Amino acid sequence: MALACSSRLAGIAMFAQGEAEQKQFSRFSSSVRRSFQVAEANKCSWQAQKANLVLEDGTKMKGYSFGHPSSTAGEVVFNTGLAGYTESLTDPSYHGQILTLVNPIIGNGGVPDPAALDEMGLRKFLESDGIKVPALYGIDTRMLSKIIRDKGTVLGKIEFEGQPVEFLDPNKRNLVAEVSTKDVKVYGKGNPIKVIAVDCGLKHNAIRLLVKRGAEVHLVPWNHDFTKMDYDGLFISGGPGDPTQAKELIENVRKVLESGRREPLFGISLGNLVMGLAAGASLYKMPMANRGQNQPVVNTINGQAFITAQNHGYAIDSRSLPPGWKPLFVNANDQTNE
């Protein structure tokens, strides 16, 4: 990683009322001045590698790299959260996307140890493993988020010199298959409640929360045939992209619904969309995605409201739900089925 350092001296202003305070301030000022003089004499020679963020409409923004120096392309999105950036940057649901963090002071509170593990061997402070992404700073994220807000869907690319890439729409690929586990894994072995968790891009914390509540979590790949497995509950996780690309998963959920099994079935985010599609409802691309930590939703049964964290650009058309189905949660801002 390269660094960009400033060699300019800083000025300090303080009020010193008494003689003792003035002498103390004078010594402090001299010490600070010497420190800056040393820094000035040894000017930082590091320079961050430059790269461009290019949008499909031709907009080009120059930035400075602090991540993996490799060109990439995808859908440009923004997240309105003021915190939780380490979780967002390692969330598999953002796979295929170029994430804009609108908070202008990202990182000033520090970052956790990325190598720390919990008692189950999962990353303690990250939501997934193997994260290696290009990253830029120095971009006008306010202007960028306005462009995304006005256009809804924006394709873009991060290009380094000598590494040209073409624009691409990640939603045309099966992103779920790209982030899902390839093997069956068990967490919380010996716990009394067996939950099958279908990994569409499952976050580590979701596993922790299920285990904490007494579940033995059997994590299975997105296309695993769970229709005849023995379980106490079936959990379809969140994940990236267009859920209609995960045809095998939709068909397996449809089989479960048609079988009349009594065990509870729970879908979150993309998993909720998969359940709707399996039931026979239709899907649409949202004109403005819901991505942030302050999305208000209302329980349609009792009217209770919640503030939720969300990340999805597709929604089930509630009008297309078949008889016997109705929305459980509705977004208070745009009335989407949550």
Side-chain angles (χ1 to χ4, degrees):
M1 179 181 290
L3 299 174
C5 301
S6 172
S7 61
R8 290 173 294 181
L9 296 179
I12 299 176
M14 295 178 63
F15 289 103
Q17 294 179 347
E19 183 178 353
E21 288 84 354
Q22 290 177 354
K23 290 182 179 179
Q24 184 178 7
F25 174 66
S26 178
R27 288 193 297 269
F28 174 75
S29 300
S30 298
S31 175
V32 171
R33 191 178 299 109
R34 284 194 299 271
S35 297
F36 278 114
Q37 287 170 346
V38 171
E40 177 72 10
N42 298 283
K43 289 184 178 180
C44 296
S45 59
W46 304 286
Q47 288 190 356
Q49 187 174 1
K50 296 179 182 178
N52 292 315
L53 173 64
V54 186
L55 306 183
E56 59 181 334
D57 65 359
T59 302
K60 180 182 288 188
M61 305 179 191
K62 183 178 71 174
Y64 301 91
S65 173
F66 69 98
H68 186 61
S70 176
S71 295
T72 190
E75 182 183 9
V76 186
V77 302
F78 67 85
N79 186 299
T80 60
L82 300 181
Y85 41 86
T86 50
E87 290 85 350
S88 295
L89 292 172
T90 57
D91 184 349
S93 295
Y94 283 109
H95 180 63
Q97 297 176 332
I98 298 174
L99 174 61
T100 304
L101 300 176
V102 299
N103 183 7
I105 50 175
I106 293 296
N108 71 323
V111 294
D113 180 5
L117 302 177
D118 64 13
E119 61 275 7
M120 291 183 288
L122 300 171
R123 298 288 178 185
K124 192 172 184 179
F125 302 111
L126 309 182
E127 295 295 358
S128 61
D129 296 315
I131 297 297
K132 183 190 285 187
V133 296
L136 301 180
Y137 71 92
I139 298 289
D140 186 346
T141 56
R142 182 180 177 85
M143 180 179 73
L144 179 57
S145 60
K146 285 184 176 181
I147 294 174
I148 301 170
R149 181 196 63 191
D150 294 340
K151 294 190 174 182
T153 299
V154 178
L155 298 183
K157 56 185 178 179
I158 293 176
E159 277 193 328
F160 288 82
E161 185 177 358
Q163 299 181 34
V165 292
E166 299 296 325
F167 293 108
L168 61 85
D169 184 354
N171 295 308
K172 294 181 179 179
R173 310 197 317 260
N174 185 353
L175 300 181
V176 169
E178 296 178 16
V179 300
S180 179
T181 182
K182 302 299 184 287
D183 305 301
V184 176
K185 302 175 183 178
V186 179
Y187 299 93
K189 193 170 181 61
N191 282 351
I193 303 172
K194 182 179 179 180
V195 172
I196 302 297
V198 183
D199 183 11
C200 303
L202 184 64
K203 296 189 288 187
H204 285 170
N205 199 45
I207 300 174
R208 275 190 288 267
L209 292 174
L210 288 170
V211 171
K212 182 180 179 180
R213 285 160 175 77
E216 181 181 88
V217 179
H218 291 247
L219 188 68
V220 301
W222 72 278
N223 57 350
H224 189 83
D225 186 1
F226 48 77
T227 58
K228 294 181 174 59
M229 293 180 66
D230 178 45
Y231 56 77
D232 299 303
L234 179 60
F235 177 80
I236 315 296
S237 83
D242 181 355
T244 61
Q245 299 287 343
K247 292 180 173 58
E248 293 176 67
L249 172 58
I250 296 171
E251 183 58 31
N252 283 333
V253 174
R254 180 179 292 117
K255 290 178 181 178
V256 170
L257 293 176
E258 293 175 349
S259 69
R261 294 186 63 156
R262 304 297 298 174
E263 297 88 355
L265 170 59
F266 180 66
I268 182 172
S269 192
L270 180 134
N272 177 59
L273 303 179
V274 167
M275 288 178 58
L277 291 169
S282 60
L283 187 81
Y284 66 93
K285 175 80 169 172
M286 298 168 61
M288 176 54 61
N290 291 337
R291 295 188 174 93
Q293 300 160 357
N294 57 348
Q295 291 289 330
V297 299
V298 178
N299 186 317
T300 60
I301 296 176
N302 58 20
Q304 188 175 7
F306 300 87
I307 298 299
T308 64
Q310 295 184 21
N311 173 27
H312 66 98
Y314 291 85
I316 290 292
D317 184 351
S318 297
R319 298 169 299 179
S320 68
L321 288 170
W325 290 79
K326 61 180 181 179
L328 177 59
F329 289 98
V330 173
N331 191 294
N333 288 335
D334 58 14
Q335 305 305 306
T336 50
N337 185 327
E338 300 290 3

